Amino acid sequence: MSSLQLSALRGTEEAESDLVAQIDLARLPRHIAIIMDGNGRWARRRRLPRIAGHRAGAQAVRETVEICSQLGVTALTLYAFSTENWKRPQNEIDTLMGLLREYLRKELAEIHRNNIRLQILGHYEQIPPEVCQDLEDALQQTAQNTGMVLNVALNYSARTELVDAFNAILDRMRDNGNRTREITEQMIAEHLYTRGLPDPDLLIRTSGEMRVSNFLLWQIAYAEIWVTETCWPDFTRRHLLQAILDFQKRERRYGGLGHNGA
Ligand code: IPE
Ligand code: IPE
Ligand code: MG
């Protein structure tokens, strides 16, 4: 972590810097993936329309991106909109797309300044063209950045991602005259939308739901899962730091035995 990043972190409020001090910066999760859930419930509890929850969630996105980049996380993947989310009322979908544009308009300069490279995981076709245009501009602007990769899963389905990967592999096999005889794990990983990135070490889901909702099914094979009852709009830098701290206390066994052989 650069001294600039460290001083930015130290400048945070006391409870937060306490958490930072406990984190082992040498053992950070390299890739954090987040299912940002509970915007609707957050709003309902306040007798507000669901879209107010989505609006409030944008601040949590801002804080999460900032702290992950300051800590030096390699990749952050945020689940913003699933292929199943098209089932929602049109006005909610329109609001979500509008909020994405607003987020880019307000945050792109800061993202770029922090050397963050934006990537979109998911299919563009169904996304309204004006949103696509903004996204493409943002992708282009940040394409050469060398800091944290910020993946936004948009119109995303993990099953579609796998089907896409298998089809790409089939194409490649045909191109080389069907000389390839078998598919390997490495080939699949190389054709996923997340190719080139480490698999998520830490998967966070807010609002207490215990499911993966078609998110990164291949990549989370050995991710540590951290679920909080907190709804996404109330998720702060402190929650993220706590999740990392808890992650660092876990023993990752990958099917083997623990450190003490038990
Ligand atoms: C997450 O919050 C945002 C998206 C899925 C786009 P929800 O809108 O799913 O909130 P709940 O689950 O209804 O509370
Ligand atoms: C998952 O949340 C998708 C996103 C966070 C974008 P959902 O709210 O759509 O998931 P389910 O319907 O509860 O499984
Ligand atoms: Mg939900």
Side-chain angles (χ1 to χ4, degrees):
M1 186 185 311
S2 73
S3 56
L4 186 78
Q5 286 169 325
L6 260 179
S7 62
L9 280 170
R10 288 198 182 111
T12 56
E13 62 183 73
E14 209 175 310
E16 205 177 291
S17 44
D18 241 30
L19 286 172
V20 175
Q22 292 176 62
I23 288 177
D24 178 353
L25 294 170
R27 288 196 309 118
L28 283 175
R30 288 191 301 162
H31 185 169
I32 300 177
I34 308 185
I35 303 175
M36 311 182 289
D37 198 14
N39 294 352
R41 274 161 285 172
W42 181 93
R44 196 177 60 220
R45 283 171 201 156
R46 287 162 180 75
R47 298 182 198 287
L48 294 168
R50 291 179 55 83
I51 54 175
H54 297 312
R55 190 165 283 285
Q59 176 58 25
V61 173
R62 213 165 281 134
E63 285 194 27
T64 304
V65 170
E66 186 188 44
I67 184 103
C68 286
S69 147
Q70 284 173 348
L71 284 168
V73 167
T74 304
L76 170 67
T77 300
L78 299 176
Y79 203 0
F81 194 88
S82 73
T83 52
E84 290 77 21
N85 289 145
W86 295 107
K87 294 176 194 158
R88 296 187 179 201
Q90 192 59 44
N91 79 321
E92 180 167 344
I93 294 172
D94 293 345
T95 301
L96 284 165
M97 296 296 157
L99 281 170
L100 178 63
R101 293 188 82 193
E102 198 177 311
Y103 176 79
L104 289 175
R105 216 166 29 243
K106 287 189 181 156
E107 298 300 315
L108 186 58
E110 184 68 6
I111 286 175
H112 191 42
R113 201 177 62 79
N114 287 322
N115 196 22
I116 295 170
R117 178 154 59 92
L118 186 70
Q119 295 195 142
I120 303 296
L121 313 184
H123 278 269
Y124 270 46
E125 304 92 64
Q126 282 165 283
I127 306 287
E130 64 281 8
V131 185
C132 280
Q133 190 55 56
D134 287 359
L135 284 170
E136 272 164 16
D137 292 347
L139 294 178
Q140 206 181 2
Q141 196 178 329
T142 64
Q144 305 306 321
N145 288 348
T146 54
M148 184 178 82
V149 173
L150 171 60
N151 291 319
V152 179
L154 190 63
N155 193 24
Y156 176 84
S157 151
R159 287 188 169 178
T160 305
E161 181 183 26
L162 282 165
V163 171
D164 285 349
F166 296 146
N167 280 317
I169 292 169
L170 263 181
D171 281 348
R172 212 176 75 177
M173 285 177 164
R174 284 192 204 103
D175 288 349
N176 79 0
N178 288 322
R179 282 191 301 276
T180 313
R181 294 253 73 81
E182 62 173 21
I183 292 177
T184 62
E185 285 196 12
Q186 192 190 338
M187 279 164 87
I188 295 172
E190 281 169 1
H191 288 84
L192 295 175
Y193 308 154
T194 51
R195 60 187 152 268
L197 293 174
D199 285 339
D201 302 295
L202 175 60
L203 172 68
I204 296 175
R205 183 161 188 157
T206 56
S207 85
E209 302 296 351
M210 299 287 184
R211 52 179 175 267
V212 287
S213 301
N214 203 5
F215 190 42
L216 303 175
L217 295 180
W218 176 276
Q219 298 91 327
I220 60 171
Y222 266 104
E224 294 294 327
I225 301 176
W226 192 86
V227 176
T228 173
E229 289 296 325
T230 303
C231 287
W232 179 250
D234 287 331
F235 189 86
T236 62
R237 296 161 61 100
R238 290 217 329 278
H239 291 96
L240 197 279
L241 293 168
Q242 189 61 55
I244 293 178
L245 256 182
D246 291 348
F247 164 83
Q248 293 188 332
K249 289 179 191 143
R250 304 261 183 101
E251 184 179 38
R252 303 183 80 185
R253 292 179 162 205
Y254 300 99
L257 300 182
H259 290 315
N260 59 7

